[in-house]
Amino acid sequence: MRGDWDLGAAARGPLLLCAALLAVGCALGLRLGRGLGAADRGALAWLCFDALVHFALEGPFVYLSLVGNITDSDALIASLCISYRSPCVCVNCMAGG
């Protein structure tokens, strides 16, 4: 049964990052939502988590998409594309040659 849940070393980093963003987002939302009802605090915690995900994960991807392409980049977001596909079949890599 344990072999079915083995994600490998490549998945540990992104899962830890997501867990950290979730913890920070919930803590921030609950702290900002003092004095509100439970449903409002929960919604605020979700919105804080969602904002952190947009800034931390989607922001760099948009920036890299605007200033270059994935094949010429050494950034973390670019390595996610290249590490899982050999050869890479994403739109940016196919357009670059």
Side-chain angles (χ1 to χ4, degrees):
M1 180 86 175
R2 182 173 182 191
D4 294 340
W5 291 96
D6 188 22
L7 297 174
R12 289 186 188 116
L15 286 176
L16 286 175
L17 176 63
C18 184
L21 289 174
L22 181 63
V24 171
C26 285
L28 184 63
L30 294 176
R31 180 164 173 89
L32 292 174
R34 281 193 220 151
L36 298 176
D40 291 334
R41 280 194 316 261
L44 188 59
W46 172 256
L47 291 172
C48 288
F49 166 69
D50 190 47
L52 287 172
V53 167
H54 283 292
F55 289 126
L57 299 178
E58 295 173 8
F61 178 79
V62 171
Y63 173 76
L64 287 173
S65 297
L66 294 174
V67 299
N69 61 29
I70 291 177
T71 57
D72 297 335
S73 178
D74 293 329
L76 176 67
I77 300 288
S79 68
L80 293 176
C81 175
I82 294 169
S83 67
Y84 288 110
R85 298 182 186 116
S86 181
C88 187
V89 294
C90 69
V91 175
N92 291 334
C93 292
M94 297 303 281

